[in-house]
Amino acid sequence: MISADPGSAYRYSFWGKAAWALTGLMLFSTAAAFASWMERQADAFGIVLRQQQAVEIDIGRDGDLVIHADVYEETLLQKEFARFFAEQSIPYPSAFTDIGNIRAWTHTPDGNGGYRKEMVREFRTSDLATSGVFYDDYRQKTFYFPALRPGAKTVLNYRKTYREPRLWGYFVFSGALPVLHSEFSVTAPADVVLGYRVFGVNEKELAFEKQQKGNLVSYRWVLREVDKVPGSAYPGILHHAPHLVVYVKSYTYEGENRPVLSGLSDLFAWYEQFLDLENGTGIPEMKQLVDELVADRDSEPEKVEALYNWVRRNIRYIAFEDGLGGFAPRSAGTVWSRRYGDCKDMANLLFHMLEMAGIPSHHTWIGTRAIPYTHREVPTPMADNHMILTYRHGGREYFLDATDAYSRFGIPSEHIQGREALVRLGHDAYELVEVPVVAAEENRKCDTVKMYLEQGQIRGCGTLCLRGYLRNAATDVLQNKGKEGTDEYLSGLLAQGNNKFFLDSVVVGNLSDHSADLVFEYSFRLLDYQTEAGGELFLNPHFSQFAGDVQAGYAENPYGHYFPFKSVRQRLTRFRIPDRYQVGHLPGDVSWEEPDFGFSLSYRQEGSYVLIAEEFYINTLHIKPERNSAWNELVRRLGEASKEMLVLVKT
Amino acid sequence: MILLDLRAVEFEWNDPESGPDEYYTLHNRVRVHSAEAVEAFNKVYIPMDGVHEIVRLQVRVITSRGVRSTDSVQLLDYRDAGGEVHMKYFAVEGVEEGAEVEYLYTLRMDARLEGVREVFQDTDHRRKAEFMLIAPAGMTFAFRAYNGFPGPVADTVSPGKICYRASVTDLEPLRSEQYAPYYDHLARLEYRLQSMQPASGDELYSYRHLAGQLDAYFRPRSDEKKAMKKIEKLIRHLGVAQLEMPDRIRTIEDFIKERFTLTEQSDAGYDRLDRILREHVASRRGLLRLFIAAFDQAGVNYEYGLTSDREGVSFDPEFETYTYLEHYFFYFPATGQYLAPSEFFYRLGFLPYNWTHNYGLFIRPLHIGAIDTQWTEIRFIPALPAEENVDFLDIRYDILGEFDSARIRVRRSLSGYQSTYIQPVYSFLPEVDLKPLQLELLNLQGKFQSLRFLEVKHGSMSDLYQRPFEIDGTAGPELAFIEKAGNRYLMRVGELIGEQVELYQEKERRLPVQNEYNRIFRREIRVTVPPGYEVMNLEDLNYTVVPENDQPVTMAFESAARLEGNQITVSVNEYYRKIDYPVEQFGQFRRVINAAADFNKKVIVFRKTGV
């Protein structure tokens, strides 16, 4: 399912003559502040001097909205390297938008202090392959900026036309390059009512004005000296990029009020018309399968689970997102016979199969964690990019995401945790329901390992249990990859100590029982791990690698740290003290425990064994930037503690 | 499991005015056993380059639910921006685990006569792989089969037609291995048209034939006189006439590579000199034309040529086919050096390593009076010696106080291919990416957040392959690489050289060894022992692996440690001076590679003297 038009986020705009005049009056921050901003951008390949999008909304003769955006972008190239970016493209979803009137040129230094203008002569249209999508209607206009060199300026100018007003309205104030002047404006007849909301921008820095001249109202947002947006940071660029969401709430045509996205009910009504609730009921083979699957299940949830499992295991994910096909689920009959589909196709098939079994369920639109807003904040298609099915029983919701092949029944898929679901209750009836965040304890990794020394090698056997989201990746590999891929994966999963680790045997338990912990009983050899010197044996007892795992998050991160899920990781190591040795030194216990994250390490001797207990937990999906210092302290302490060795000495 | 993989080619020549038509048929039958196999075979991609129409397309899926046949699918279309890739594709309906998927398509396309490669082996088992070529009897084809695929045999099926056939049953899967020429070892067939009746005696699509066409194409055209004047002026402006030989070439190369950009849009007039000079954008062949024009003006004597990427399929000197002609290069007889005209991160003397240690077609255009002719030869492009590609690490680690703090200084110098991924881009990287890269280059990532001092030398494009990239950094006071064990301290000396590649896991080796390039690693580590402490196990750092039976010695790992006063010095040398080893020598190669990874695990223990 496609969201509005993220492609436009990185494309830029034009306001028109009036705007040029206005800009001169706009806040020029003090010269010193400006100089310091320019200085900070000195190592950027280039600076976008001006990025503008001037939108005009008209009501056409037939009463439909006509939306055009004039895009203008002027970029100063600073580095020699910039010429490697001569190739540029303008991506757009061709079913809903057109790109026209493209003009582009380079002002290239002529060597005499002036500029020479080199026009781009050729624009090509080609397909744009989107990762993970089998087919969509994204196209791109591609061209080469000529004669690039430091000091050259490129100018790009085009008109974008929106055929579906609900999929218009999105502007990112900067992109891969810093932007000196970023501007978005809309001019519309006075009775076109707009809704808008700004994200990731300090409101004080954003200049906004609304003016009315005659029957035309213009809105203008200007942000200056905008730093570039870092690449694709988890969970999604919209969490970090300064951007504006704008949409048409309603307009008047011949005295009649026409709602577009005046509230959530409009969005819902638009979504609902795409549903095909009839088709799919008349397939005897499907009915037969449904009957077989639910035959010996007693309770209703068990029946739901059986049908849900069948769909997610037997329908392959292949996404077609062409035009409204990005919003309309294909009929259950089609998906049944093809054996493939995308999220909404699978949800719809499951809906019909449940219906055959006499069980009601609910089509549900939702935005994954990549999207930072709720339906209440943004009642437009920008809030959603996914469809699931909701089943209610015993006072609780089951969020059935058929694209999630492995999560335990009753557990939502990882990427919708904490998100707000738009649940269809019936015609014209919906409800917003928050998807729960799965508790850390439900995503547990627990490794219990016994080790001993034999002929200079460490030998051992262990039991590793993986629960919840932590087991999904393993389940996928073990069920689908061949022997080669599985062996390689297991060597990585069970590795400990160093890379001279040899897995000798492994038995996997509960692979097909997705509701239980995935269990690995394994034995191994570990070479060159311990150090022997002067009759003493030195061994780092921290096999869990927690310290290494969190190092990556050590550096300052302006957005804090995001995690895909809450989790707990535990490890208990029982190391047998070799004959004729005794413990010479045991590290002291250490712990650092906060509500959101923490660890504990403890060591003790028990008979002829040294017991090492390690635990690490993340109890939040996001550590906010103001908690960075606490997180860094955890990383530091864990790092320090992980350098404490166990010493065994000859008796 | 692939039950059948048939590729059939038929040439038809109905209109003597035009060339022959090619009908290419692919027929696959696959049994899908796993979800992974379903994912792999429920989508079919049809390459459309040169294709006029899909004459026939049939799909059949057999499952427990029955047989589902169709000759109409929802065909989707994809064209990339460069205009190079065009394909049609579709999803196969009804595929589930245990199904048999069968599809067949026939394409009518531009006849491919100059050289075609059909690869029949990959990671799937093929029960039967078959090739068939049918042509009018007057057309004679040359074939060469590799790695277990049989050479096609001709028989006459019908009057006036000749049919070549080859088939093999139970073609085992082959998986890639580290340090191995994987694609070069897959079962495959190469073929091209050799002669056509009635025709002249000259072999069609021979390299000689091509050399003439290329020469005519590359030479300045009659409508490019103005552009040639500009180039003449440019060469004068660069003053290369006064320069001696390698410098003359280098100046021209730097000028072009620092100002022009490559486009993959090959058919858009970006090969015309006037357009290139105006827009500073050129296609691959356009760049070659620009270089040729400049070299001709500057009086540089050159040969140009074509070779393959040996990490794909290496150039077979004994079989002429255009499929090997992937990459253009220049060769300068005066200096014996090579140049890659469209590779912006390479400079004179350095072709991409995967083009070297490979044969190539060399062409020298000869313009004698009014006669244009070309001399061609197939020669070996040798790999550069190990001395050209040196990674040198100089590490000094001072432990301060009684293990209170530490100061580490690391200097690293990278020459030749060892700096390919760093030197050309270093000066262009933004600050935010530079910091982690610097730490990584000094093997200090994860140990320190920042450096206290840093100096980088020869980190720009103009130093490329001329001077080694040098980085010198100091960090502290963290006691990195040191662990505490009661009243002992352990130092992970082995980690100072950075994580090394390992080949620990023992698997049956099927492919021979192929190195990327010859190379040397030299490391000098000095550690000061704090007063009042001694090292308990210095001898652990003496570690040498030199394979026996490798004479002269072509690969080795040698580490030796000594103590002088309070300073430990560890010298660690490692080198690889040969590209290829037969599979029988894999064990030896593995030992040397693993020796470096073993060194990573070396730890020394400090204790108080007299305790």
Side-chain angles (χ1 to χ4, degrees):
Chain A
M1 175 156 169
I2 47 176
S3 257
D5 173 14
S8 68
Y10 302 97
R11 296 289 130 205
Y12 321 104
S13 56
F14 189 59
W15 162 258
K17 274 182 190 149
W20 285 103
L22 275 170
T23 331
L25 308 172
M26 283 293 305
L27 51 132
F28 249 110
S29 44
T30 64
F34 171 69
S36 100
W37 183 81
M38 286 297 277
E39 202 172 301
R40 266 196 293 134
Q41 314 306 333
D43 71 88
F45 301 140
I47 296 176
V48 178
L49 299 175
R50 190 169 201 92
Q51 128 175 346
Q52 288 184 251
Q53 206 175 107
V55 178
E56 281 172 27
I57 302 179
D58 282 322
I59 299 163
R61 260 179 247 129
D62 54 357
D64 285 341
L65 287 179
V66 179
I67 303 180
H68 296 293
D70 284 315
V71 175
Y72 178 89
E73 177 200 336
E74 182 178 342
T75 306
L76 169 70
L77 301 175
Q78 307 200 114
K79 300 271 179 179
E80 191 67 72
F81 203 56
R83 76 199 153 90
F84 292 113
F85 296 87
E87 183 180 359
Q88 292 290 318
S89 62
I90 308 166
Y92 62 100
S94 61
F96 301 113
T97 47
D98 272 331
I99 300 286
N101 300 348
I102 315 180
R103 293 197 310 139
W105 62 89
T106 306
H107 283 295
T108 197
D110 63 4
N112 303 317
Y115 288 94
R116 133 176 98 85
K117 187 172 175 181
E118 283 291 347
M119 296 300 294
V120 173
R121 287 148 202 266
E122 198 174 333
F123 297 90
R124 291 186 166 209
T125 306
S126 62
D127 298 311
L128 184 62
T130 311
S131 151
V133 177
F134 185 62
Y135 178 77
D136 63 22
D137 53 31
Y138 263 83
R139 302 278 179 276
Q140 58 183 352
K141 303 277 183 190
T142 308
F143 58 94
Y144 282 79
F145 273 122
L148 297 188
R149 65 189 55 170
K153 278 191 268 185
T154 61
V155 178
L156 172 63
N157 188 187
Y158 60 89
R159 169 167 272 212
K160 194 164 181 173
T161 304
Y162 293 84
R163 283 197 280 270
E164 170 52 67
R166 290 167 192 84
L167 299 177
W168 161 76
Y170 173 88
F171 181 74
V172 176
F173 289 96
S174 74
L177 294 178
V179 182
L180 181 60
H181 179 101
S182 195
E183 179 174 322
F184 184 82
S185 64
V186 183
T187 305
D191 53 10
V192 173
V193 184
L194 292 189
Y196 47 84
R197 202 165 169 132
V198 175
F199 297 88
V201 176
N202 182 345
E203 299 267 354
K204 274 186 237 152
E205 290 169 12
L206 182 76
F208 171 68
E209 59 182 28
K210 185 176 169 184
Q211 284 183 344
Q212 182 157 5
K213 267 186 199 161
N215 185 41
L216 284 182
V217 179
S218 57
Y219 306 74
R220 197 158 76 104
W221 292 263
V222 175
L223 193 61
R224 291 182 55 86
E225 298 171 13
V226 198
D227 289 344
K228 67 177 180 178
V229 180
S232 52
Y234 181 81
I237 187 115
L238 294 180
H239 286 262
H240 315 309
H243 69 283
L244 169 75
V245 176
V246 53
Y247 51 95
V248 176
K249 289 183 154 183
S250 64
Y251 64 100
T252 310
Y253 178 67
E254 291 183 345
E256 172 206 355
N257 179 52
R258 292 194 171 186
V260 181
L261 293 168
S262 63
L264 192 47
S265 54
D266 286 344
L267 178 66
F268 179 77
W270 189 64
Y271 282 163
E272 197 184 26
Q273 54 155 337
F274 295 121
L275 295 184
D276 174 0
L277 299 169
E278 305 306 321
N279 201 327
T281 39
I283 301 170
E285 295 91 342
M286 191 155 103
K287 176 80 174 95
Q288 192 187 334
L289 178 83
V290 168
D291 290 344
E292 275 169 31
L293 288 170
V294 301
D296 46 358
R297 313 283 166 156
D298 299 330
S299 72
E300 193 178 273
E302 283 176 331
K303 292 177 184 176
V304 175
E305 182 179 2
L307 295 174
Y308 174 49
N309 285 346
W310 187 89
V311 171
R312 55 184 179 154
R313 310 263 153 80
N314 291 283
I315 305 299
R316 315 309 308 176
Y317 183 80
I318 296 184
F320 283 84
E321 298 186 343
D322 47 336
L324 291 173
F327 296 92
R330 269 149 280 262
S331 77
T334 303
V335 181
W336 160 264
S337 106
R338 285 179 172 176
R339 288 292 197 267
Y340 63 75
D342 59 18
C343 60
K344 57 192 183 309
D345 300 341
M346 295 189 203
N348 194 45
L349 173 63
L350 181 57
F351 171 86
H352 285 287
M353 291 175 78
L354 287 168
E355 198 175 49
M356 277 178 171
I359 303 168
S361 64
H362 311 278
H363 289 88
T364 301
W365 293 262
I366 194 165
T368 62
R369 287 186 65 207
I371 293 175
Y373 9 80
T374 63
H375 292 95
R376 291 184 186 93
E377 288 169 322
V378 176
T380 85
M382 288 285 297
D384 298 299
N385 61 355
H386 193 36
M387 184 187 265
I388 58 172
L389 203 63
T390 303
Y391 162 66
R392 287 183 145 154
H393 183 81
R396 63 163 288 197
E397 279 92 14
Y398 293 75
F399 298 99
L400 310 177
D401 182 345
T403 66
D404 175 5
Y406 304 109
S407 288
R408 179 154 57 94
F409 178 65
I411 295 279
S413 55
E414 181 187 308
H415 61 165
I416 62 168
Q417 288 182 92
R419 300 287 305 157
E420 185 194 66
L422 174 60
V423 180
R424 178 183 182 274
L425 300 176
H427 178 58
D428 233 357
Y430 61 87
E431 191 179 337
L432 290 173
V433 182
E434 191 174 318
V435 178
V437 175
V438 176
E441 189 52 35
E442 294 295 321
N443 303 311
R444 202 161 72 100
K445 174 180 181 178
C446 180
D447 205 358
T448 309
V449 185
K450 226 169 168 171
M451 292 180 167
Y452 58 98
L453 260 175
E454 190 180 88
Q455 294 169 343
Q457 297 183 354
I458 290 178
R459 287 178 164 271
C461 55
T463 306
L464 172 73
C465 299
L466 296 177
R467 179 181 297 174
Y469 300 135
L470 280 167
R471 74 161 271 170
N472 288 356
T475 309
D476 185 38
V477 173
L478 295 172
Q479 288 198 331
N480 297 320
K481 301 280 172 197
K483 187 184 169 341
E484 193 104 347
T486 303
D487 287 354
E488 203 177 303
Y489 177 79
L490 290 176
S491 301
L493 178 72
L494 301 168
Q496 47 202 282
N498 61 30
N499 60 8
K500 217 165 177 177
F501 171 88
F502 299 89
L503 193 59
D504 290 327
S505 71
V506 54
V507 178
V508 182
N510 297 338
L511 179 57
S512 48
D513 180 0
H514 295 206
S515 61
D517 286 6
L518 187 59
V519 180
F520 302 86
E521 303 270 359
Y522 63 98
S523 66
F524 64 92
R525 281 164 297 134
L526 177 61
L527 277 59
D528 294 355
Y529 186 70
Q530 73 287 2
T531 302
E532 277 183 82
E536 298 176 21
L537 197 68
F538 302 88
L539 189 102
N540 189 317
H542 309 99
F543 289 94
S544 64
Q545 293 165 352
F546 296 151
D549 291 349
V550 297
Q551 287 287 358
Y554 195 7
E556 282 298 322
N557 184 337
Y559 308 118
H561 300 276
Y562 286 91
F563 300 93
F565 47 83
K566 298 177 177 180
S567 64
V568 181
R569 290 154 213 252
Q570 294 165 321
R571 177 179 168 114
L572 182 67
T573 309
R574 295 167 64 88
F575 186 83
R576 199 172 80 201
I577 302 164
D579 294 344
R580 294 188 303 282
Y581 276 89
Q582 64 185 36
V583 173
H585 172 76
L586 209 55
D589 294 355
V590 190
S591 69
W592 170 271
E593 293 180 356
E594 298 228 1
D596 284 353
F597 46 84
F599 75 92
S600 72
L601 304 171
S602 74
Y603 318 83
R604 68 171 198 274
Q605 184 177 351
E606 209 179 81
S608 56
Y609 285 91
V610 174
L611 265 61
I612 306 121
E614 302 168 81
E615 182 177 296
F616 181 82
Y617 62 87
I618 296 286
N619 201 26
T620 180
L621 298 183
H622 182 204
I623 296 173
K624 296 199 168 64
E626 54 268 30
R627 298 292 293 150
N628 268 354
S629 57
W631 170 254
N632 289 347
E633 186 58 17
L634 166 129
V635 175
R636 195 188 66 75
R637 289 192 187 209
L638 184 55
E640 281 303 307
S642 302
K643 290 165 132 196
E644 289 286 337
M645 305 285 277
L646 166 69
V647 185
L648 303 170
V649 294
K650 276 215 167 108
T651 47
Chain B
M1 157 137 35
I2 296 173
L3 304 172
L4 173 70
D5 180 357
L6 167 76
R7 331 259 173 105
V9 182
E10 182 165 7
F11 292 101
E12 264 188 21
W13 202 338
N14 299 324
D15 177 7
E17 293 298 303
S18 63
D21 275 334
E22 174 175 341
Y23 290 86
Y24 180 81
T25 299
L26 186 127
H27 184 186
N28 270 4
R29 212 165 75 233
V30 186
R31 188 167 296 149
V32 291
H33 293 290
S34 63
E36 194 185 22
V38 172
E39 295 286 348
F41 292 102
N42 67 359
K43 304 167 200 85
V44 175
Y45 295 84
I46 306 173
M48 293 297 289
D49 300 319
V51 175
H52 301 295
E53 61 171 325
I54 298 175
V55 181
R56 184 176 171 200
L57 174 60
Q58 285 172 300
V59 184
R60 182 158 65 174
V61 178
I62 305 170
T63 63
S64 53
R65 291 185 286 156
V67 181
R68 233 183 117 115
S69 307
T70 179
D71 49 10
S72 71
V73 295
Q74 189 191 352
L75 262 186
L76 305 165
D77 197 82
Y78 175 84
R79 272 171 218 272
D80 80 333
E84 306 236 311
V85 180
H86 177 205
M87 60 188 182
K88 288 198 183 284
Y89 63 106
F90 60 94
V92 184
E93 300 187 358
V95 184
E96 56 192 36
E97 280 176 56
E100 208 173 287
V101 180
E102 184 171 9
Y103 59 90
L104 178 153
Y105 59 76
T106 300
L107 312 174
R108 184 172 68 81
M109 60 196 300
D110 293 337
R112 296 168 303 163
L113 304 169
E114 69 282 2
V116 176
R117 172 175 302 153
E118 292 287 354
V119 178
F120 287 93
Q121 198 173 23
D122 56 26
T123 52
D124 287 308
H125 182 102
R126 275 174 177 66
R127 185 155 306 158
K128 187 172 188 193
E130 193 173 356
F131 175 82
M132 204 187 289
L133 186 149
I134 303 166
M139 294 171 82
T140 310
F141 287 83
F143 295 94
R144 193 163 173 109
Y146 299 79
N147 307 316
F149 196 79
V153 178
D155 68 62
T156 314
V157 278
S158 60
K161 293 229 172 189
I162 187 159
C163 176
Y164 300 89
R165 278 170 194 277
S167 77
V168 62
T169 51
D170 285 315
L171 201 48
E172 292 287 322
L174 190 65
R175 286 171 214 289
S176 70
E177 293 173 323
Q178 272 179 291
Y179 298 103
Y182 172 66
Y183 295 103
D184 213 22
H185 280 74
L186 296 176
R188 74 175 201 274
L189 181 71
E190 307 268 358
Y191 68 88
R192 72 171 169 92
L193 179 66
Q194 194 168 28
S195 67
M196 201 143 50
Q197 296 286 335
S200 63
D202 206 11
E203 275 211 359
L204 289 167
Y205 301 107
S206 66
Y207 290 161
R208 271 207 56 77
H209 184 78
L210 176 72
Q213 290 177 326
L214 286 180
D215 187 25
Y217 172 81
F218 287 137
R219 262 180 285 142
R221 296 160 196 171
S222 54
D223 59 353
E224 289 179 325
K225 291 212 170 76
K226 249 170 119 178
M228 286 307 292
K229 277 266 178 286
K230 256 179 140 174
I231 292 172
E232 195 187 325
K233 214 172 115 190
L234 213 72
I235 292 296
R236 240 195 343 267
H237 173 75
L238 286 175
V240 293
Q242 289 82 46
L243 297 173
E244 288 308 314
M245 223 8 149
D247 287 343
R248 195 182 294 184
I249 303 166
R250 205 166 265 146
T251 305
I252 293 171
E253 184 185 23
D254 281 347
F255 182 83
I256 293 177
K257 289 190 176 174
E258 282 170 16
R259 281 168 186 75
F260 290 80
T261 314
L262 179 73
T263 165
E264 299 294 344
Q265 297 191 351
S266 52
D267 59 341
Y270 281 117
D271 63 344
R272 291 194 51 83
L273 292 174
D274 44 358
R275 183 165 184 188
I276 295 170
L277 290 172
R278 195 173 60 236
E279 298 191 16
H280 285 219
V281 178
S283 65
R284 271 169 214 285
R285 288 174 165 210
L287 271 175
L288 212 82
R289 297 191 70 232
L290 181 62
F291 268 105
I292 284 174
F295 288 151
D296 284 344
Q297 287 293 335
V300 174
N301 191 10
Y302 58 87
E303 294 169 9
Y304 52 78
L306 283 144
T307 186
S308 70
D309 169 359
R310 78 167 139 89
E311 291 186 339
V313 171
S314 65
F315 191 110
D316 180 351
E318 285 163 11
F319 187 73
E320 293 197 6
T321 163
Y322 290 10
T323 48
Y324 293 126
L325 310 179
E326 295 174 67
H327 301 291
Y328 286 105
F329 62 83
F330 282 102
Y331 173 71
F332 305 98
T335 62
Q337 288 170 303
Y338 292 84
L339 184 153
S342 53
E343 301 297 317
F344 286 78
F345 291 172
Y346 290 83
R347 286 294 185 274
L348 182 65
F350 288 80
L351 292 180
Y353 69 81
N354 41 324
W355 304 2
T356 72
H357 192 74
N358 196 7
Y359 284 91
L361 166 66
F362 289 66
I363 300 168
R364 182 188 299 179
L366 300 168
H367 305 278
I368 308 155
I371 299 169
D372 295 324
T373 181
Q374 305 81 30
W375 166 92
T376 64
E377 192 178 10
I378 291 165
R379 289 204 303 264
F380 193 67
I381 306 167
L384 290 167
E387 280 68 19
E388 295 279 356
N389 309 309
V390 182
D391 179 345
F392 176 57
L393 258 179
D394 181 8
I395 301 160
R396 190 185 166 94
Y397 194 110
D398 294 317
I399 299 161
L400 306 174
E402 254 193 80
F403 290 92
D404 299 325
S405 61
R407 183 174 53 223
I408 181 165
R409 179 177 184 188
V410 183
R411 288 186 289 177
R412 190 171 191 181
S413 119
L414 298 164
S415 71
Y417 293 130
Q418 302 271 24
S419 73
T420 298
Y421 300 111
I422 295 148
Q423 201 170 25
V425 294
Y426 187 84
S427 59
F428 302 119
L429 289 175
E431 197 66 28
V432 52
D433 297 332
L434 269 185
K435 269 178 127 179
L437 174 69
Q438 287 155 354
L439 287 168
E440 202 182 316
L441 283 169
L442 301 171
N443 301 322
L444 300 176
Q445 75 276 25
K447 307 285 181 186
F448 297 95
Q449 277 213 69
S450 61
L451 296 167
R452 299 167 66 82
F453 170 82
L454 175 81
E455 192 183 355
V456 173
K457 269 200 256 176
H458 310 148
S460 78
M461 208 71 155
S462 59
D463 299 303
L464 204 52
Y465 303 111
Q466 292 258 60
R467 286 162 288 276
F469 174 84
E470 287 175 31
I471 178 165
D472 178 351
T474 303
E478 294 97 318
L479 264 177
F481 302 99
I482 288 185
E483 294 169 334
K484 275 160 79 177
N487 56 2
R488 310 276 197 252
Y489 290 92
L490 278 73
M491 181 174 186
R492 302 206 157 264
V493 176
E495 289 183 3
L496 288 166
I497 69 166
E499 192 176 345
Q500 303 292 302
V501 182
E502 49 85 14
L503 293 167
Y504 285 137
Q505 300 300 326
E506 292 183 22
K507 284 181 234 157
E508 190 205 353
R509 178 79 181 194
R510 295 186 59 183
L511 296 169
V513 173
Q514 187 169 88
N515 278 302
E516 294 180 330
Y517 48 84
N518 297 314
R519 60 208 184 275
I520 294 172
F521 300 90
R522 278 178 50 218
R523 298 108 175 175
E524 193 87 359
I525 304 167
R526 283 168 295 165
V527 180
T528 51
V529 182
Y533 280 87
E534 64 183 0
V535 175
M536 295 168 72
N537 60 338
L538 191 63
E539 64 288 352
D540 283 2
L541 297 178
N542 295 323
Y543 187 60
T544 293
V545 174
V546 183
E548 55 285 0
N549 312 327
D550 180 31
Q551 288 302 333
V553 178
T554 56
M555 53 180 163
F557 180 91
E558 300 163 311
S559 154
R562 61 182 192 276
L563 179 69
E564 285 159 337
N566 69 338
Q567 183 170 280
I568 300 166
T569 305
V570 196
S571 302
V572 190
N573 291 315
E574 185 185 354
Y575 55 82
Y576 303 89
R577 296 177 184 279
K578 214 174 130 183
I579 301 290
D580 284 322
Y581 295 95
V583 65
E584 297 74 37
Q585 262 178 287
F586 173 73
Q588 296 185 345
F589 176 75
R590 182 169 171 258
R591 280 182 58 217
V592 180
I593 290 285
N594 284 346
D598 286 348
F599 185 81
N600 274 159
K601 296 161 190 70
K602 299 292 177 190
V603 174
I604 53 174
V605 184
F606 296 90
R607 71 173 165 208
K608 281 210 154 138
T609 42
V611 177

